[in-house]
Amino acid sequence: MSLGRERETTLARLLHHTVVEGSTRYLSRDPVIKTFEIALAAATFTAASAGLWYLLKESYYTYVPLSYQYRPGTMTGYFSKVLAKHAKRRRRYRPIRVYMDGCFDLMHYGHANALRQARSLGDELVVGLVPDEEILRCKGPPLLNEKERLELVESVKWVDEVLTGVPYDLTPEFLDELFTKHRIDYVIHGDDPCILPDGTDAYAYAKKSGRFMMIKRTEGVSTTDIVGRMLMCSRNNRRFLSSGTEDLTRAFSMGHRQEDDGDQRHNLVDMDNECDNYSESKESYDGVTPRKKASDIELDVRPVTVSRFMPTSRRIVQFSSGKVAPAGSKIVYIDGAFDLFHVGHVEILKAARQEGDFLLVGIHTDEDVTRRRGAHLPIMGLHERALSVLACRYTDEVIIGAPSTITEDLLKTFNISIVVRGTMHEISDRKAASELDRYKVTSDKKILKYLKSPSNMTSAKLIQRIVKNREQFESRQARKTKTEATYYATSKQYVSEV
């Protein structure tokens, strides 16, 4: 037993000596050789791994059926569906509600675009409509009354709810009511200034609370410019002329005094060229009287700067609903100028939509409208008018630049089932030969239907309201122009459009 133990002890000592001595020898070897061996081992492992991966990959695509193979996007597609389902369920039980208020007087496509942007920032858009008395207190008399403005706002397809009687001043108490009672998450406003009568920011409390979001103002359109265009029209179209109107509209439709007489001359020459296009003779257009030469006007004024709207395909796509008439649907067609989009247009479009399944609206070209109504009409350009009609919830599709005379080809191209017209119109003589010829094809086919216009509002009546209250609107617009000029010169920041 003792001999066996001695042998085991001897072997253990020998093994320990061999391991320790071998380790010592390895650690005492040349570092360069040791580094080379490590690098060689790493390269061998990498090459072996790559070869193994290649063999596995080839075997996967060779032996695994195609229906069971992984396709790019499978996992991400699955998770996106899960998240979308969760988001939809969350929106159903607790939608994000955004709030935008305003006067929405003389509503145009700039207002509609602001509402579109606001709606895209949440799930439900709540619009606060400032009442007449608040507008009169803070800004001056509105052009449209509260009932007309309410109907226009409700007709915009991006609006989900309208609150009436909201204060012009966004006090902390009212904002707290919005956040609690109406469950508003964010207050929205454009990057244009909104200054209270005391000179403070109307949205200061919302910004301080972290519940404010800003959208980009729609460039190329403003109420100030549209009012200037309306007064310019009234100056030359005898339908709007009355005693004293010529002088007051000329004064309002011209800008501030120029410092440089040379610039005045240049502007007036441009104005002369524009006038000549419309006043070559008294009979150039129906209802047009010759304009005065701009050179006859005093040199202390310059022509009004009319907005220059530049249509883009992106803007039209943003406003378009993208609807296509289903097979077998009854397509209703109504056409017109739809200038200065107002409550009369909204109500006739609503009535027309009830006549079928799909409402197609034809927008006449600027040249057609000018030929029939006179100089400086339409007030809004073709694409401006098209955007206003597209923003209406009762419109499914529009034809931009539709012919004023309906033809057999137009009816077949768009599969039109019925053509409707309202009884209220800008042109008083609805039975004139030129008017009857426009709808002769539809009348012969017995698909023309006249709808009693629910409203007697026309674009001409809006222009007459402006002219009648010229001094009040002039004072109001002058204050607004000065405030905006100061803001854009000192405080404006870039805001991307949504």
Side-chain angles (χ1 to χ4, degrees):
M1 293 293 294
S2 59
L3 182 61
R5 289 177 181 173
E6 290 179 1
R7 288 180 179 177
E8 291 177 0
T9 302
T10 303
L11 289 175
R13 290 177 180 176
L14 181 61
L15 179 62
H16 174 74
H17 177 75
T18 302
V19 172
V20 172
E21 185 178 354
S23 302
T24 304
R25 289 178 182 178
Y26 178 77
L27 293 175
S28 63
R29 294 177 61 184
D30 188 354
V32 176
I33 297 176
K34 184 171 64 174
T35 303
F36 174 76
E37 290 177 346
I38 295 175
L40 180 62
T44 302
F45 176 78
T46 302
S49 300
L52 180 62
W53 170 255
Y54 176 78
L55 293 176
L56 291 175
K57 181 179 178 181
E58 290 299 318
S59 300
Y60 173 78
Y61 286 114
T62 301
Y63 299 107
V64 177
L66 184 63
S67 57
Y68 292 98
Q69 293 181 10
Y70 173 78
R71 294 178 298 279
T74 301
M75 296 301 296
T76 56
Y78 169 76
F79 285 116
S80 65
K81 290 180 180 178
V82 172
L83 292 175
K85 185 177 180 180
H86 170 73
K88 185 177 181 180
R89 184 169 57 252
R90 191 270 306 165
R91 289 189 177 97
R92 185 168 61 250
Y93 291 106
R94 182 59 178 91
I96 297 177
R97 290 167 59 86
V98 295
Y99 174 83
M100 170 177 278
D101 65 354
C103 304
F104 301 101
D105 194 22
L106 192 58
M107 193 166 179
H108 47 72
Y109 68 91
H111 294 133
N113 190 46
L115 296 174
R116 179 196 63 80
Q117 293 184 77
R119 179 63 173 77
S120 67
L121 296 176
D123 302 314
E124 294 179 358
L125 172 60
V126 181
V127 177
L129 187 65
V130 180
D132 293 344
E133 57 270 16
E134 285 286 284
I135 299 177
L136 183 62
R137 177 179 67 88
C138 301
K139 301 179 64 174
L143 179 63
L144 304 178
N145 60 47
E146 187 173 349
K147 181 180 178 182
E148 293 170 336
R149 294 184 289 114
L150 174 61
E151 189 166 354
L152 282 170
V153 172
E154 289 179 334
S155 71
V156 178
K157 59 186 177 183
W158 298 292
V159 175
D160 298 295
E161 183 182 342
V162 180
L163 301 180
T164 58
V166 302
Y168 186 84
D169 304 340
L170 290 179
T171 61
E173 294 76 18
F174 176 68
L175 287 173
D176 288 337
E177 180 182 342
L178 288 178
F179 298 148
T180 56
K181 179 179 179 181
H182 300 287
R183 298 183 294 113
I184 300 299
D185 296 293
Y186 297 99
V187 176
I188 313 293
H189 193 264
D191 60 342
D192 53 320
C194 186
I195 308 300
L196 297 176
D198 60 0
T200 59
D201 184 1
Y203 294 90
Y205 182 77
K207 294 176 181 178
K208 184 179 179 180
S209 304
R211 308 286 286 270
F212 179 81
M213 299 179 72
M214 184 179 294
I215 58 175
K216 184 177 180 61
R217 178 184 183 273
T218 304
E219 302 292 344
V221 63
S222 70
T223 303
T224 305
D225 291 333
I226 295 175
V227 169
R229 287 189 249 180
M230 293 165 72
L231 285 169
M232 182 70 74
C233 166
S234 67
R235 175 183 160 200
N236 261 60
N237 197 308
R238 68 184 177 194
R239 289 196 295 149
F240 311 108
L241 290 179
S242 59
S243 58
T245 301
E246 174 70 21
D247 294 335
L248 68 88
T249 54
R250 180 177 62 189
F252 188 87
S253 62
M254 309 294 282
H256 301 289
R257 182 185 299 273
Q258 289 275 3
E259 299 295 336
D260 186 356
D261 289 346
D263 291 340
Q264 294 174 10
R265 286 290 183 188
H266 177 71
N267 289 333
L268 293 174
V269 169
D270 290 342
M271 190 173 177
D272 269 338
N273 294 334
E274 181 186 357
C275 296
D276 291 340
N277 293 334
Y278 290 101
S279 56
E280 295 176 357
S281 69
K282 289 186 178 181
E283 305 300 330
S284 296
Y285 299 101
D286 180 31
V288 183
T289 56
R291 284 181 75 170
K292 290 184 178 181
K293 286 287 187 177
S295 55
D296 296 334
I297 303 174
E298 297 81 356
L299 289 179
D300 60 344
V301 290
R302 63 176 174 81
V304 68
T305 303
V306 180
S307 64
R308 296 289 183 259
F309 171 64
M310 293 179 288
T312 62
S313 58
R314 180 171 179 266
R315 175 72 73 231
I316 294 175
V317 169
Q318 288 172 337
F319 274 60
S320 176
S321 61
K323 295 180 181 179
V324 178
S329 59
K330 183 180 181 181
I331 300 177
V332 182
Y333 180 74
I334 184 172
D335 65 340
F338 295 96
D339 194 21
L340 294 173
F341 197 75
H342 50 71
V343 292
H345 295 138
V346 172
E347 292 182 355
I348 194 62
L349 290 177
K350 181 179 180 180
R353 183 63 176 81
Q354 294 172 352
E355 295 294 322
D357 308 312
F358 190 89
L359 180 59
L360 178 65
V361 183
I363 314 294
H364 296 161
T365 64
D366 297 343
E367 293 77 13
D368 283 339
V369 178
T370 301
R371 183 167 54 251
R372 295 168 50 227
R373 299 187 184 179
H376 290 293
L377 288 174
I379 301 297
M380 312 295 287
L382 172 61
H383 288 85
E384 293 176 309
R385 293 181 282 122
L387 291 178
S388 295
V389 175
L390 279 171
C392 181
R393 66 174 70 249
Y394 307 114
T395 302
D396 294 306
E397 182 62 288
V398 302
I399 302 176
I400 302 177
S404 58
T405 302
I406 299 179
T407 62
E408 184 73 29
D409 179 65
L410 178 69
L411 299 176
K412 290 183 178 179
T413 300
F414 294 97
N415 194 28
I416 296 171
S417 306
I418 182 175
V419 177
V420 299
R421 298 190 73 191
T423 54
M424 181 59 61
H425 199 265
E426 299 286 342
I427 299 176
S428 58
D429 189 4
R430 299 295 303 277
K431 296 183 179 180
S434 59
E435 288 295 302
L436 295 177
D437 289 343
R438 292 175 52 210
Y439 296 90
K440 186 177 185 306
V441 173
T442 58
S443 180
D444 293 342
K445 295 175 69 69
K446 300 186 184 304
I447 60 172
L448 178 62
K449 183 176 182 179
Y450 285 90
L451 302 177
K452 181 176 176 55
S453 298
S455 172
N456 61 357
M457 176 60 72
T458 63
S459 301
K461 290 183 179 180
L462 289 179
I463 297 175
Q464 289 167 354
R465 289 186 188 182
I466 287 286
V467 174
K468 183 179 179 180
N469 300 281
R470 171 256 179 180
E471 292 184 359
Q472 293 175 315
F473 282 107
E474 183 181 34
S475 176
R476 167 183 165 182
Q477 298 303 100
R479 292 195 306 269
K480 184 175 181 180
T481 301
K482 183 178 180 180
T483 303
E484 288 186 349
T486 303
Y487 171 79
Y488 287 118
T490 60
S491 306
K492 181 179 179 180
Q493 299 178 352
Y494 172 76
V495 178
S496 61
E497 183 170 315
V498 293

